[in-house]
Amino acid sequence: MKKLFLINCRPPMVEAFKGAGCDVRTLWSTERELDVPALLDENNFIPDLVLQQESLGRRVFLSGLEKLDCLKIFWSVDTHLNMHWHGLYGSLFDGVLTTQQKYIAALNERCHAEICWVPWMGARPGPEIGTASGVVPYRSRKHDICFVGRVSKERRSRQWFVDYLRGNYDLHQVDGLNYSQMMEEYRQTRIVPNEAIFGEVNFRLFEACSCGCAVVTPDIGDELGNLFEIGREIEVYSDVLELKEILDALHRDPVRAASMGLAAYERILRDHLPANRASRILDFAGCLGRRSVSSSEAKLYRALSEAALGEAGDPVVNWDALVRSLLSLSPGMERDSALMRIFSISDMADLFLNIARPYMRGKGSFGDCYFNMSASLSAMKLDLWDVAKHFWYAWKSADPAGNTMIPDSPLSLLLLWGDELSKSGNSIRSGVAFNEKSGIPACAADCYFAALFLSPGNLDVFRKLDSVFCGVKGAEPSRLGFLSHISLHSPDDWRASSDVGIINLKVFRIYEGLKELENARALAVAAGRERFFKRKLETELPQYFRLVYGT
């Protein structure tokens, strides 16, 4: 695996592959589509491997991959935000790398390529990243606590995070820096509290550890423990009370904080440099087999990827060209669900029916929940109620229990499909803001949001939304809204009140959280249920339990 064609790979990775003895050709492009065979001919280069790294700005698609007699790998960098199209696009390749270990199973379900976990990486401070070499001594650093990142009203949890830090510590918060400027800020910082969008392992963790900072990062599960030793190299928190306890302890013991930052830096040098990632990718490629992808399959995967991006709001999608591409392919549930969704969004009932009729002439289930849901809810959007019900009954005809609920309104149909999608594991689309008025649901959460649009204030819908988002890292601000509404209609329910308090603390609203938990405790005592309240808090909020009960 010596001859590599690298597309949109960052310079440190390019140098790492060269350092591994590879013959490397590189291309950086923001073109929407790149004809890879033509590019290789232009460069007179026959690679062993084509590697595309996801570009985080304008989306770049590779065409002609199925014609190449070499391995192809796609590196999904922001899997946590782009799962809705990466699984489809990744099927064009032999292998897909993801920076997020927790998404391996989900990618395996959606993508036909082999999946491999390759986390993001750190950097060795020095001229190559625009900083001085080495680690700045801990006590001589300028900033006590620093957060580098954009703060906006759209990211409520981050706003509350920064507000809490600013109100309780000497926070240095900056944004709009280039990479070398950012790394220089970290080199001058003692402690870096981290915050993540969807419970992901993010760039900030590796960047701050690369500069010897004491990093306090959200507890996202076992994945972190595979990267750093918790308690020695980094610290983790689950709520604002734990964050406060850790930050206060690091302030009281600067020797320990300095030791932790140095240990993290040493771990970066040992395990998390670009050379480590290049070695991992080459090992994966060495064990990877080539997939046979036909030209029609490649065309389908590309079109489905474009459709998923378009529905998520990508303004660059050429819908007319996309429809022509899909219509040129043979009928099938994947193609036809995409077409029906497009025609419904575009209010083209006749074209929708042209696709739907062949399925309506058949009997029984078509075997795919997403397909039937797409057909049903697309028909409902076009006011084709009988067609909408047809695809619901077609799906439920395979139910061995024969318990088919009868939809009697758009609201009930949305709730039924939401329940079906939830049971099938298609609960949320992280990174996609669903338009309840004009969009077609693609997951359970979308169905429930659309139902809430039809029936604002519906407690049953709020409960369903809360059940879908319960336990989802990064969904706490949404859950706070759901739970607050539920609690408002159940003022004497100590469980509802305690849930609101817990979520407030998880989104850094310490005053509101403690006040709500005080109210929940009083309600539990009045109802003779304090032991259950204690048990709940001991499990879900141990720091608060120790704070209140002293055990």
Side-chain angles (χ1 to χ4, degrees):
M1 204 62 57
K2 292 296 184 182
K3 300 177 71 176
L4 310 184
F5 188 54
L6 306 179
I7 299 171
N8 289 349
C9 282
R10 295 192 177 186
M13 283 301 300
V14 173
E15 295 306 313
F17 282 119
K18 289 179 179 178
C22 297
D23 180 6
V24 174
R25 301 291 188 278
T26 64
L27 175 69
W28 184 269
S29 176
T30 58
E31 293 292 324
R32 182 67 168 189
E33 183 168 345
L34 297 175
D35 184 336
V36 180
L39 289 169
L40 292 173
D41 286 344
E42 289 175 14
N43 286 271
N44 193 28
F45 189 62
I46 302 176
D48 301 312
L49 169 67
V50 171
L51 171 64
Q52 179 190 10
Q53 182 177 309
E54 177 192 2
S55 48
L56 302 183
R58 185 180 174 92
R59 307 304 182 188
V60 176
F61 286 93
L62 306 187
S63 64
L65 292 176
E66 73 281 2
K67 302 174 185 177
L68 299 181
D69 187 23
C70 67
L71 290 172
K72 287 84 66 177
I73 293 177
F74 175 64
W75 193 353
S76 170
V77 176
D78 271 0
T79 316
H80 57 293
L81 296 177
N82 294 306
M83 173 64 75
H84 58 286
W85 70 277
H86 279 188
L88 296 163
Y89 181 64
S91 293
L92 289 165
F93 296 78
D94 304 303
V96 170
L97 315 174
T98 175
T99 58
Q100 308 299 317
Q101 186 181 39
K102 70 173 70 176
Y103 283 89
I104 289 176
L107 275 171
N108 272 321
E109 290 181 3
R110 294 166 171 80
C111 185
H112 297 294
E114 291 292 321
I115 312 299
C116 179
W117 179 40
V118 179
W120 197 241
M121 70 206 85
R124 190 191 308 270
E128 65 273 16
I129 63 169
T131 71
S133 299
V135 175
V136 175
Y138 190 82
R139 289 186 179 275
S140 64
R141 299 186 178 203
K142 298 177 183 177
H143 312 304
D144 185 32
I145 292 182
C146 177
F147 181 78
V148 181
R150 186 166 64 90
V151 179
S152 67
K153 293 179 180 179
E154 288 73 28
R155 288 286 317 283
R156 290 177 294 164
S157 187
R158 176 169 293 181
Q159 181 68 66
W160 294 329
F161 171 77
V162 170
D163 287 347
Y164 169 74
L165 293 175
R166 188 176 287 125
N168 292 272
Y169 302 97
D170 183 17
L171 176 67
H172 176 66
Q173 192 262 320
V174 287
D175 184 21
L177 307 180
N178 62 34
Y179 182 73
S180 61
Q181 289 171 333
M182 174 189 67
M183 295 299 278
E184 191 58 43
E185 291 286 349
Y186 284 139
R187 291 182 76 244
Q188 293 295 336
T189 299
R190 300 182 186 90
I191 302 171
V192 173
N194 191 14
E195 184 263 356
I197 298 175
F198 279 112
E200 77 280 4
V201 175
N202 59 16
F203 291 3
R204 192 178 296 107
L205 172 66
F206 290 101
E207 291 159 352
C209 286
S210 295
C211 297
C213 305
V215 178
V216 186
T217 196
D219 185 356
I220 63 168
D222 295 339
E223 186 171 356
L224 271 179
N226 294 325
L227 296 169
F228 295 94
E229 184 178 339
I230 296 170
R232 193 180 78 85
E233 297 169 342
I234 61 171
E235 284 285 7
V236 299
Y237 69 91
S238 296
D239 55 74
V240 68
L241 295 180
E242 289 187 352
L243 176 63
K244 180 181 187 304
E245 181 182 48
I246 294 167
L247 293 178
D248 290 350
L250 292 174
H251 276 123
R252 289 193 302 269
D253 191 352
V255 172
R256 177 175 176 265
S259 175
M260 191 169 85
L262 186 59
Y265 171 69
E266 291 171 346
R267 182 65 178 266
I268 291 286
L269 298 186
R270 185 171 71 249
D271 293 334
H272 301 312
L273 290 177
N276 302 103
R277 302 300 183 252
S279 177
R280 178 73 183 102
I281 293 169
L282 292 173
D283 287 345
F284 173 62
C287 300
L288 193 62
R290 283 192 56 209
R291 296 177 56 239
S292 176
V293 178
S294 68
S295 59
S296 60
E297 287 175 323
K299 194 173 184 179
L300 176 64
Y301 295 144
R302 165 65 191 275
L304 294 176
S305 303
E306 288 268 13
L309 274 171
E311 283 198 43
D314 189 326
V316 183
V317 172
N318 184 327
W319 290 102
D320 291 338
L322 175 57
V323 169
R324 288 196 298 271
S325 179
L326 286 166
L327 288 172
S328 72
L329 296 166
S330 299
M333 284 191 290
E334 288 183 304
R335 184 205 81 148
D336 294 341
S337 60
L339 282 170
M340 285 189 284
R341 294 172 70 89
I342 293 170
F343 292 147
S344 175
I345 292 170
S346 304
D347 200 26
M348 298 176 176
D350 289 343
L351 293 176
F352 167 83
L353 287 170
N354 287 342
I355 303 298
R357 280 194 186 100
Y359 294 97
M360 294 171 65
R361 297 188 187 109
K363 294 182 179 180
S365 170
F366 308 117
D368 183 85
C369 185
Y370 179 82
F371 167 80
N372 286 282
M373 177 276 302
S374 293
S376 177
L377 297 185
S378 294
M380 187 181 79
K381 187 175 187 302
L382 293 167
D383 293 325
L384 301 170
W385 182 242
D386 288 340
V387 178
K389 289 190 293 183
H390 173 89
F391 282 98
W392 165 253
Y393 290 129
W395 167 247
K396 292 304 290 182
S397 66
D399 186 350
N403 297 321
T404 302
M405 301 294 291
I406 299 174
D408 58 7
S409 67
L411 175 63
S412 66
L413 186 60
L414 285 166
L415 294 178
L416 289 170
W417 277 121
D419 294 346
E420 291 295 309
L421 290 167
S422 184
K423 285 189 291 186
S424 71
N426 187 0
S427 296
I428 64 171
R429 286 188 296 169
S430 57
V432 178
F434 177 62
N435 188 320
E436 300 93 332
K437 186 176 182 179
S438 61
I440 305 298
C443 62
D446 293 351
C447 290
Y448 297 146
F449 279 124
L452 198 62
F453 182 77
L454 294 179
S455 181
N458 189 309
L459 281 177
D460 184 45
V461 179
F462 274 104
R463 292 189 182 98
K464 288 179 181 292
L465 279 166
D466 183 57
S467 69
V468 164
F469 284 101
C470 182
V472 177
K473 300 287 187 181
E476 292 86 0
S478 295
R479 282 200 72 206
L480 182 60
F482 309 148
L483 289 168
S484 295
H485 186 84
I486 294 168
S487 178
L488 183 66
H489 288 77
S490 307
D492 297 326
D493 185 345
W494 67 266
R495 288 185 180 277
S497 182
S498 62
D499 284 337
V500 173
I502 291 169
I503 295 299
N504 265 300
L505 292 180
K506 289 187 179 296
V507 296
F508 314 103
R509 288 158 56 92
I510 190 167
Y511 172 77
E512 294 86 348
L514 292 176
K515 188 172 181 61
E516 191 68 45
L517 287 172
E518 181 182 343
N519 177 63
R521 184 186 182 191
L523 291 173
V525 170
R529 293 290 186 269
E530 186 178 15
R531 64 190 180 97
F532 297 104
F533 173 81
K534 290 171 65 175
R535 187 182 305 164
K536 179 178 178 66
L537 273 295
E538 186 176 16
T539 302
E540 299 184 34
L541 209 63
Q543 179 60 22
Y544 175 84
F545 180 83
R546 293 192 295 269
L547 181 68
V548 173
Y549 293 102
T551 57

